[in-house]
């Protein structure tokens, strides 16, 4: 701990109540120019601060270690639904006022939920940071809910689900793919929840969820931008210091058994052409295999000169687009591959070629040039994601929440550079196996090709 | 922002920042759909640039870009082709050389043209799965061209299934030969870049280009039909409706553009705006509910966008039309005006927080014929808008009597109901494929 930090903590703690006592727990470089300092409040709230005066803006983000994997069958989608409810109101800031106050100072504000986390963010003029702190701390402690609000927001989420799943072939395909691939683990249900579950939430469900998970010991605050750290920490102590820890009892999550046989599902949907999606089991983000797997995924699907795009889009002209992505989940997830087929092309034909290319990868391996290309692409991707205050805050909050290291994006950057051809052979041999695959084939319903 | 002019006649904008060792690049080329000998030619030219030079493998441009830690995107509009790239700063020189080769010596092979035509055709067919894009296409056709697909402002800038078939290699060669001159190129660089080094790279790689001449841009006027008209783009088994209700919007040179921006922000572009509050917060009818003011060289569309369920589509459309009528008749409340101005002024720093964003703003200004420092006057222009000006602008520009009501959904369920909306003269059912 640096002397400055010790003195600062002493000064900040002099008149602070017990729960608001603060201490520095880590200080690490965040890239070549910046530093992230991690502070803990006695009530368990973790705070990452990155002073960055490259622009007169600040990003304030709150990351909750709760997502759809913490739900239970029958109440799926509750984490996402709750994210919506957090914009409803408190006794001191009635419904609509949060948005109004933040937008009134020019802030961009929103939230997102996925399997492992929920996050709320504001990017705003740096001078307005105290407002974001006040409002976020307020809704984390004093959210007021009633049945009328719940019902109105339920309609909004139903509309969102219709837009993203019921009427969207890609959303529906992805939902079916995960349902088939994860039969035990909660990664098998959609973050937005099943429609019947969305229709069933009660105020009591929501309040129980809130009391348990919206607690300082389940949250991380990230601040990046033109900030005065002592003033900022004092404001955070004042706003969050009154909160108490919660006893968090997460539902037991069933481990997904190893997949030993390929799975297939056929789907009919009103779409103009067939689609195919394949999921292969992949490691969690913190696993040492994740980085070389991401490189291999990029070799297959990253950019127009990648193997699959070259073959399926440019050479064989079977698809308009194809993609592959590795889930950035804390626990083992999927490498998701998919393609939008040209009219008249069958999903089985594209599926065969995807496996042909994987077979070629097994036989011939990867060239040094392909490896270098993907390493360069991934390096650019990491660096450009860190251009804005919001981008930096998001990387810090995400990595802290999922892998427990706020600077993991730079560790990943180093790891990308260190990947070898042997690492890629190991990944291909371990994960790119047909027996651990799940395939969804989509055909148009009659008449939908007009 | 620093501005230079090269010896070959191109303007260059550079915004330095050492925050991240990356350089963002842009080349704006004054050639677009308005220059098409056959609709879609400029798009095909843009596509074929990426296929590389003579003797190069058709994927070599992307292969080399990726090896350098670079990425490329090429987009086309009615008036320009825009090449956008980012690259690791240490590889700037070979990346600029690659862009120069791509732009100056494209092979424009007939075989590649055939392939790209098939690919673009497939991409257009892919829009059949994108209800929002279909609604956008129908809205433009209805508002700017009176429902016709042959008005120059309603024709898709990338061409149609029919027009693409007619594009020949000779069209591309001619377009490229005529348009690739220094005065029709604008270069931009932002990030970890030394302006002197960048200029030297441009002189080295583009230095032998002829200066040539700029070209005048003349666009026809839009033709908004009288009255209210419903267009239903018929899709099977839809549980909800993409709804776009619009009329004519603004031009960038309209003296009341700032007033329109403030008024539209208050009405429909924020969470706290009237439209979102009434449609989503009070009634829960649609996950998203916003208005969008388009502004181009000619008047663009202004529209309200929502996606209610089929059951709520009529009520939602009626509510939106009512809100529009009330707004145009009675204007904004003083607190709404103040709020919108505070948002626009406060959030301006977020549009300018990276070198890349500052460069984009300056490029947009220059391509529309404004000085590159025009973005700096934004706060002043917004600050000067008062209630009278905002209300007058809305009354002058937006015409609730003349509306296109576009719904993408299942026609059998929607058409009879939407026909009953107040003032509707007729309902046209459109097949999605007719929009391609």
């Amino acid at each position: 701990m640096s002397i400055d930090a010790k003195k600062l903590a002493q000064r900040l703690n002099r008149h602070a109540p017990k729960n608001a006592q603060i201490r520095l727990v880590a200080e690490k470089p965040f890239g070549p120019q910046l530093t992230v300092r991690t502070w803990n409040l006695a009530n368990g709230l973790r705070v990452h601060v990155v002073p960055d005066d490259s622009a007169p803006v600040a990003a304030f983000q709150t990351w909750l270690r709760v997502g759809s994997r913490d739900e239970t069958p029958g109440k799926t989608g509750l984490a996402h639904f709750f994210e919506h409810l957090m914009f409803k109101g408190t006794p001191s800031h009635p419904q609509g006022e949060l948005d109004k106050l933040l937008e009134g100072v020019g802030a961009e504000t929103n939230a997102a939920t996925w399997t492992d986390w929920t996050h709320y963010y504001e990017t705003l003029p740096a001078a307005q940071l105290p407002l974001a702190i006040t409002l976020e701390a307020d809704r984390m402690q004093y959210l007021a809910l009633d049945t009328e609000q719940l019902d109105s927001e339920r309609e909004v989420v139903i509309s969102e689900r219709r837009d993203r799943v019921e009427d969207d072939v890609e959303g529906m395909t992805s939902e079916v793919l995960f349902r088939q691939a994860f039969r035990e683990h909660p990664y098998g249900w959609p973050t937005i929840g099943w429609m019947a579950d969305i229709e069933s939430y009660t105020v009591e469900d929501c309040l129980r969820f809130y009391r348990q998970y919206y607690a300082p010991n389940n949250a991380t605050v990230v601040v990046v931008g033109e900030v005065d750290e002592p003033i900022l920490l004092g404001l955070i102590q004042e706003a969050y210091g009154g909160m108490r820890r919660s006893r968090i009892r997460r539902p037991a999550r069933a481990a997904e058994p190893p997949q030993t046989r390929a799975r297939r599902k056929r789907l009919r949907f009103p779409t103009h052409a067939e689609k195919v999606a394949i999921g292969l089991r992949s490691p969690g983000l913190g696993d040492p295999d994740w980085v070389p797997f991401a490189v291999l995924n990029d070799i297959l699907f990253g950019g127009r000169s990648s193997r699959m795009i070259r073959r399926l889009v440019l050479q064989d002209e079977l698809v308009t687009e194809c993609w592959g992505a590795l889930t950035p989940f804390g626990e083992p997830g999927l490498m998701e591959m998919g393609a939008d087929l040209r009219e008249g092309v069958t999903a089985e034909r594209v599926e065969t070629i995807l496996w042909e290319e994987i077979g070629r990868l097994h036989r011939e391996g990867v060239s040094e040039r392909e490896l270098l290309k993907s390493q360069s692409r991934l390096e650019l991707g990491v660096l450009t994601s860190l251009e804005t205050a919001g981008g930096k805050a998001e990387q810090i909050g995400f990595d802290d929440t999922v892998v427990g290291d706020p600077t993991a994006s730079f560790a990943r950057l180093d790891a990308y550079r260190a990947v070898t051809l042997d690492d890629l052979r190991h990944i291909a041999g371990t994960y790119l196996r047909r027996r651990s695959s799940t395939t969804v084939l989509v055909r148009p319903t009659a008449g939908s090709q007009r | 922002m620093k501005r230079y002019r090269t010896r070959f006649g191109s303007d260059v904008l550079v915004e330095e920042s050492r925050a991240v060792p990356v350089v963002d690049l842009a080349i704006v080329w004054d050639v677009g759909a308005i220059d098409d000998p056959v609709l879609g030619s400029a798009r095909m030219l843009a596509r074929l640039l990426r296929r590389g030079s003579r003797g190069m493998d058709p994927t070599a441009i992307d292969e080399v870009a990726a090896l350098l830690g670079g990425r490329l995107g090429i987009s086309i509009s009615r008036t320009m082709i825009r090449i956008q790239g980012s690259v690791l700063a240490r590889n700037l020189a070979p990346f600029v050389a690659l862009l120069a080769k791509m732009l100056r010596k494209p092979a424009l092979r007939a075989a590649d043209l055939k392939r790209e035509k098939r690919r673009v055709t497939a991409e257009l067919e892919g829009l059949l799965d994108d209800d929002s894009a279909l609604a956008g296409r129908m809205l433009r056709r209805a508002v700017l061209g009176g429902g016709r697909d042959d008005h120059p402002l309603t024709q898709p800038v990338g061409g149609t299934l029919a027009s693409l078939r007619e594009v020949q290699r000779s069209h591309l060669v001619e377009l490229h030969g005529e348009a690739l001159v220094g005065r029709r190129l604008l270069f931009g660089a932002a990030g970890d870049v030394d302006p002197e080094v960048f200029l030297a790279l441009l002189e080295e790689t583009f230095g032998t280009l002829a200066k040539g001449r700029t070209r005048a841009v003349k666009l026809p006027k839009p033709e908004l039909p009288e009255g209210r008209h419903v267009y239903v783009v018929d899709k099977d088994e839809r549980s909800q409706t993409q709804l776009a209700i619009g009329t004519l919007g603004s031009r960038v040179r309209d003296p009341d553009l700032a007033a329109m921006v403030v008024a539209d922000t208050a009405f429909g572009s924020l969470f706290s705006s009237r439209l979102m509050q009434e449609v989503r917060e009070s009634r829960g009818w649609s996950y998203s509910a916003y208005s969008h003011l388009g502004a181009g060289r000619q008047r663009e569309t202004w529209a309200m966008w929502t996606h209610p369920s089929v059951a709520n589509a009529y009520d939602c459309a009626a509510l939106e039309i009512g809100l529009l009528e009330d707004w145009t008749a009675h204007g904004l409340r003083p607190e709404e005006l103040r709020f919108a101005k505070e948002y626009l002024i406060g959030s301006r720093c977020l549009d300018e927080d990276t070198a890349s964003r500052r460069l984009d703003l300056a490029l947009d200004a220059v391509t529309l014929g404004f000085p590159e420092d025009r973005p700096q006057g934004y706060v002043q222009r917004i600050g000067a808008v008062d209630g009278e000006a905002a209300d007058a602008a809305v009354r002058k520009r937006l015409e609730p009597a003349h509306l296109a009501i576009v719904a993408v959904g299942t026609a059998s369920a929607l058409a009879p109901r939407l026909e009953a909306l107040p003032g509707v003269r007729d309902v046209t059912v459109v097949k999605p494929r007719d929009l391609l």
Side-chain angles (χ1 to χ4, degrees), chain A residues 15-281:
Chain A
H15 303 293
K18 195 177 157 193
N19 269 349
Q21 295 286 309
I22 200 165
R23 68 189 175 92
L24 183 76
V25 292
E27 181 168 1
K28 287 180 169 183
F30 188 72
Q33 294 174 13
L34 302 172
T35 301
V36 55
R37 296 223 277 193
T38 304
W39 302 81
N40 276 5
L41 259 62
N43 61 12
L45 182 74
R46 198 179 302 158
V47 183
H48 299 297
V49 184
V50 180
D52 173 7
D53 59 5
S54 60
V57 303
F60 186 89
Q61 301 197 353
T62 309
W63 287 75
L64 280 305
R65 292 181 279 281
V66 61
S68 55
R69 70 174 175 178
D70 301 301
E71 296 158 355
T72 52
K75 298 293 174 194
T76 65
L78 194 52
H80 168 258
F81 187 66
F82 204 82
E83 172 215 310
H84 279 240
L85 295 180
M86 282 289 279
F87 290 83
K88 285 302 175 191
T90 67
S92 44
H93 299 291
Q95 179 164 357
E97 195 171 296
L98 180 129
D99 284 329
K100 207 163 196 168
L101 287 170
L102 286 169
E103 287 180 335
V105 297
E108 283 175 2
T109 175
N110 212 329
T113 307
W114 209 1
T115 52
D116 304 348
W117 44 259
T118 307
H119 113 260
Y120 299 84
Y121 61 86
E122 288 87 28
T123 308
L124 69 179
Q128 302 297 338
L129 201 49
L131 176 67
I133 296 170
T134 306
L135 292 173
E136 286 294 1
D138 181 53
R139 67 172 163 174
M140 200 160 144
Q141 298 172 77
Y142 303 114
L143 192 72
L145 291 177
D146 61 38
T147 309
E148 198 181 327
Q149 288 172 329
L150 204 74
D151 288 341
S152 158
E153 204 56 32
R154 192 194 318 277
E155 290 306 311
V156 172
V157 172
I158 286 171
S159 165
E160 184 181 359
R161 190 185 151 82
R162 283 198 193 106
D163 193 48
R164 295 190 172 172
V165 184
E166 258 77 5
D167 283 357
D168 185 280
V169 65
E170 276 178 28
M172 179 60 81
T173 307
S174 179
E175 184 171 290
V176 172
L177 181 73
F178 277 81
R179 176 68 287 186
Q180 295 300 316
F182 293 94
R183 293 177 174 176
E184 304 293 333
H185 192 277
Y187 286 165
W189 61 66
T191 297
I192 198 166
W194 304 117
M195 191 66 99
D197 293 353
I198 296 170
E199 285 163 354
S200 78
Y201 309 140
T202 63
V203 170
E204 191 42 50
D205 291 332
C206 296
L207 288 176
R208 203 179 305 125
F209 188 88
Y210 179 55
R211 287 187 203 112
Q212 179 166 206
Y213 293 116
Y214 281 66
N217 53 318
N218 199 41
T220 297
V221 162
V222 187
V223 190
V224 178
E226 197 182 62
V227 298
D228 179 314
E229 196 175 24
I231 293 174
L232 169 75
L233 292 171
L235 290 168
I236 288 176
Q237 279 182 302
E238 194 180 330
Y240 291 88
M243 295 183 74
R244 290 187 182 170
R245 286 171 178 271
S246 156
R247 261 184 89 184
I248 298 166
R249 291 186 216 134
R250 296 175 198 274
R253 285 194 293 274
E256 189 66 28
Q259 188 176 336
T260 54
R261 295 181 66 176
R263 297 171 189 169
R264 292 172 80 73
K265 179 81 179 169
R266 291 181 191 279
L267 188 67
R268 288 215 174 257
F269 198 88
T271 173
H272 79 107
E274 299 196 7
K275 319 268 174 213
V276 60
I278 300 176
L280 293 163
R281 294 293 183 85

Side-chain angles (χ1 to χ4, degrees), chain A residues 32-33 54-58 80 84 87-88 95-96 99-110 123-126 152-153 155-160 162-164 166-169 269-273 275 304-306 309-310 313-317 319-320 340 342-343 369-370 372-374 376-377 379-381 383-384 386-390 392 417 445-450, chain B residues 18-22 24 47 50-51 57-59 62-64 66-71 86-88 90-91 114-116 118-120 122-123 125-129 131 234-242 269-273 277 280-288 307-310 312 335 339 342-354 356-358 431-433:
Chain A
Q33 294 174 13
S54 60
V57 303
H80 168 258
H84 279 240
F87 290 83
K88 285 302 175 191
Q95 179 164 357
D99 284 329
K100 207 163 196 168
L101 287 170
L102 286 169
E103 287 180 335
V105 297
E108 283 175 2
T109 175
N110 212 329
T123 308
L124 69 179
S152 158
E153 204 56 32
E155 290 306 311
V156 172
V157 172
I158 286 171
S159 165
E160 184 181 359
R162 283 198 193 106
D163 193 48
R164 295 190 172 172
E166 258 77 5
D167 283 357
D168 185 280
V169 65
F269 198 88
T271 173
H272 79 107
K275 319 268 174 213
R304 292 159 58 108
S305 64
S306 65
I309 292 178
R310 213 185 260 252
V313 179
L314 302 174
Q315 182 190 312
D316 293 359
E317 300 186 42
V319 311
T320 50
D340 285 340
R342 295 195 185 190
E343 291 185 358
R369 186 180 169 92
E370 285 180 303
L372 177 62
K373 193 175 69 175
S374 284
S376 302
R377 277 174 45 82
E379 180 179 355
L380 181 72
L383 293 174
T384 51
L386 299 171
E387 280 184 332
T388 62
K392 291 178 195 114
R417 290 171 178 147
T445 49
S448 58
Q449 289 171 294
R450 285 175 300 162
Chain B
R18 309 292 166 207
V20 182
V22 168
D24 295 308
R47 289 297 192 103
R50 270 183 107 141
R51 290 279 184 164
D57 179 282
T59 57
D62 291 293
E63 171 94 8
V64 175
L67 271 168
L68 295 172
R71 64 172 166 235
S86 300
V87 66
L88 299 172
R90 62 178 182 264
N91 293 329
K114 279 185 183 167
R115 278 179 178 272
E116 284 300 327
R118 290 194 294 269
R119 190 170 170 204
V120 172
E123 287 171 5
E125 288 165 348
L127 293 179
L128 295 171
D129 278 343
D131 291 5
D234 190 15
K235 296 291 294 279
D236 286 325
E237 300 171 44
R238 285 304 193 255
S239 64
Q240 64 178 6
T241 310
Q242 290 289 336
S269 74
L270 298 174
F271 276 112
S272 310
S273 302
Q277 291 303 306
R280 173 172 155 157
E281 292 305 305
S282 299
R283 295 170 178 83
W285 281 346
S286 175
Y287 172 63
S288 64
H307 51 86
S309 67
V310 175
N312 289 329
E335 66 271 22
F339 175 74
E342 284 170 354
Y343 168 78
L344 290 166
I345 291 169
S347 66
R348 186 57 172 179
C349 60
L350 308 183
D351 299 329
E352 303 172 330
D353 65 341
T354 65
S356 181
R357 287 177 177 167
R358 292 190 290 276
K431 287 181 186 167
R433 219 169 264 277

Side-chain angles (χ1 to χ4, degrees), chain B residues 52 90 96 215 272 316 336 366 415:
Chain B
R90 62 178 182 264
V96 171
R215 62 101 153 85
S272 310
C316 191
E336 288 179 310
V366 171

Side-chain angles (χ1 to χ4, degrees), chain B residues 19-92:
Chain B
V20 182
V22 168
V23 183
D24 295 308
L25 295 165
I27 304 175
V28 181
W29 184 14
D30 280 349
V31 58
I34 56 164
D35 304 293
D36 278 347
V38 171
L39 182 64
S41 306
R43 180 190 205 174
M44 298 315 297
L45 173 60
R47 289 297 192 103
L48 260 65
L49 292 178
R50 270 183 107 141
R51 290 279 184 164
S53 307
R54 289 180 201 94
M56 270 179 113
D57 179 282
T59 57
I61 293 279
D62 291 293
E63 171 94 8
V64 175
L67 271 168
L68 295 172
R71 64 172 166 235
L72 266 176
I74 306 184
S75 59
I76 174 166
S77 71
R78 222 159 283 283
T79 55
M80 68 187 80
I81 288 175
R82 186 160 174 157
I83 300 167
Q84 200 84 33
S86 300
V87 66
L88 299 172
R90 62 178 182 264
N91 293 329
L92 177 64

Side-chain angles (χ1 to χ4, degrees), chain A residues 292-310 324 335 357 360-361 365-375 377-378 419-421 424, chain B residues 63:
Chain A
F293 203 166
V295 173
L296 195 61
N297 177 71
D298 192 79
I299 287 166
L300 290 172
F301 289 100
R304 292 159 58 108
S305 64
S306 65
R307 288 189 178 198
M308 294 296 190
I309 292 178
R310 213 185 260 252
M335 177 202 182
E357 285 297 325
R360 185 161 78 87
L361 189 71
V366 166
S367 70
E368 285 280 5
R369 186 180 169 92
E370 285 180 303
L371 173 58
L372 177 62
K373 193 175 69 175
S374 284
Q375 286 170 318
R377 277 174 45 82
L378 290 163
V419 168
T420 66
L421 295 178
L424 300 180
Chain B
E63 171 94 8

